[in-house]
Amino acid sequence: MKDPKLRELDERAFLRRLNPILRVYAAAMRPPEDQLPGRNTIMARHARHPRFRALVAEEPARLPGRAGRIAGFCYGFRGCGGQWWHDVVYRELERLGGPEHADRWMADSFEVAELHVRPDAQGRGLGRALLTAACEGREEATVVLSTLDLDPESPARRLYRSVGLTDLFTGFAFPGGGPPYAVMGGALPLAAYRPASSSS
Ligand SMILES: CC(C)(COP(=O)(O)OP(=O)(O)OC[C@H]1O[C@@H](n2cnc3c(N)ncnc32)[C@H](O)[C@@H]1OP(=O)(O)O)[C@@H](O)C(=O)NCCC(=O)NCCS
């Protein structure tokens, strides 16, 4: 694999490349095949959220004028009331710490909805580069996201901790079923990188 370069995609370019982006998602997350059409619909909806920003890590094109293969991607947007994830997380934070606590994290938040790197490209700094670039220069005060809560030392949990994100709550079952999630948050700009400390 040649060195991938980061490229920002606007909403239209993101939608045009949704199929290869979904293939990266499928390779990284290995969801049941029948969940992919629904994921496609959700990602297409996300692209219309306010201040949407998407980045891909793209390998050099093999043919002139063609797009290169996508090794990883990250996208997010401004969180607002009326968005499903935002409202669910807001309610849980409010339940745990009251409305001020929920507002502190969610009232002016950049929500990172997806970050995935193809398995054969993992462990080479692409995930960190994508996350850092997505959060760079954002106007929001906080960054919030959810990630699988099966292993507190997973690459994703360690990556997020290394730039200052902490657990807002863990073991959370989003409505509709599925595995437990940790919701994590941090201040923007991201903290300077520190090697991930253990969570225990
Ligand atoms: C999580 C993910 C995006 C990280 O991308 P990546 O390109 O592999 O990560 P990087 O090489 O940039 O490493 C960044 C940090 O992640 C952590 N990390 C990466 N690989 C790791 C591993 N195998 N074990 C433990 N920590 C690891 C480390 O903290 C690392 O920082 P360090 O190298 O300074 O120790 C990628 O592993 C992935 O797509 N995983 C599957 C899907 C997923 O979990 N997505 C996140 C959903 S919220």
Side-chain angles (χ1 to χ4, degrees):
M1 185 182 62
K2 295 254 177 66
D3 264 357
K5 296 238 177 329
L6 296 200
R7 175 201 289 263
E8 187 160 349
L9 302 181
D10 63 15
E11 176 188 334
R12 282 180 56 187
F14 177 84
L15 291 173
R16 224 173 23 242
R17 298 188 72 183
L18 200 43
N19 281 337
I21 285 171
L22 261 176
R23 282 199 290 276
V24 173
Y25 171 85
M29 293 298 279
R30 298 172 163 271
E33 192 68 20
D34 62 358
Q35 283 183 9
L36 288 175
R39 181 55 49 181
N40 184 315
T41 306
I42 291 168
M43 288 189 184
R45 188 188 317 133
H46 283 166
R48 289 187 277 276
H49 283 343
R51 295 199 211 153
F52 176 77
R53 178 186 282 170
L55 286 119
V56 290
E58 189 181 66
E59 293 171 18
R62 292 204 185 137
L63 295 171
R66 302 295 287 272
R69 195 167 169 229
I70 295 175
F73 72 98
C74 179
Y75 75 79
F77 41 81
R78 180 175 175 76
C80 299
Q83 297 166 354
W84 181 83
W85 188 93
H86 180 94
D87 290 345
V88 171
V89 171
Y90 187 97
R91 276 196 298 273
E92 181 65 4
L93 287 169
E94 190 177 34
R95 188 182 73 77
L96 292 169
E100 280 179 17
H101 177 63
D103 279 341
R104 173 172 166 240
W105 286 106
M106 304 299 282
D108 186 16
S109 59
F110 176 49
E111 297 182 3
V112 172
E114 305 286 353
L115 167 65
H116 305 287
V117 174
R118 246 178 29 219
D120 64 298
Q122 289 175 7
R124 300 153 152 237
L126 289 181
R128 179 184 302 289
L130 285 161
L131 178 67
T132 305
C135 292
E136 182 80 34
R138 293 293 303 191
E139 292 172 13
E140 293 87 357
T142 59
V143 54
V144 286
L145 54 81
S146 51
T147 185
L148 280 178
D149 190 18
L150 302 176
D151 172 9
E153 299 304 324
S154 71
R157 299 287 292 282
R158 290 174 64 86
L159 167 60
Y160 300 140
R161 283 204 303 274
S162 77
V163 287
L165 275 66
T166 57
D167 291 347
L168 302 185
F169 50 88
T170 56
F172 183 68
F174 278 93
Y181 279 82
V183 171
M184 300 180 73
L188 286 176
L190 289 179
Y193 162 69
R194 282 188 310 138
S197 57
S198 164
S199 65
S200 54

